[in-house]
Amino acid sequence: LVIAIPDTIKARLMIETALMVNPKVKIIARAYSEECATLLQKDNSGVIFTSENELANSMIHQILKS
């Protein structure tokens, strides 16, 4: 399940429903802030991405590639 909606409450409800239907579902979610990421991680939501972290990882990758 991939979730990339800006509403953290709705994302958490989607995750909760998906886990009830299939407890082994793999979840990838985008969080729009560190606070949202923390909430989603508390729900044991799988892999959580934030824009800031992904930008930082891309910048590091470019530096190391040079």
Side-chain angles (χ1 to χ4, degrees), residues 5-61:
I5 62 171
D7 187 329
T8 304
I9 294 170
K10 288 181 182 176
R12 292 176 81 189
L13 289 172
M14 292 171 67
I15 291 166
E16 180 182 329
T17 302
L19 290 171
M20 284 188 331
V21 172
N22 180 0
K24 294 182 181 182
V25 67
K26 293 182 181 181
I27 299 169
I28 299 171
R30 177 177 182 219
Y32 286 81
S33 69
E34 288 299 320
E35 293 95 15
C36 293
T38 301
L39 285 173
L40 293 173
Q41 288 169 343
K42 284 182 182 178
D43 293 339
N44 195 21
S45 302
V47 181
I48 310 298
F49 293 96
T50 61
S51 301
E52 290 117 8
N53 287 343
E54 292 308 306
L55 175 61
N57 288 337
S58 294
M59 291 173 73
I60 291 169
H61 178 70

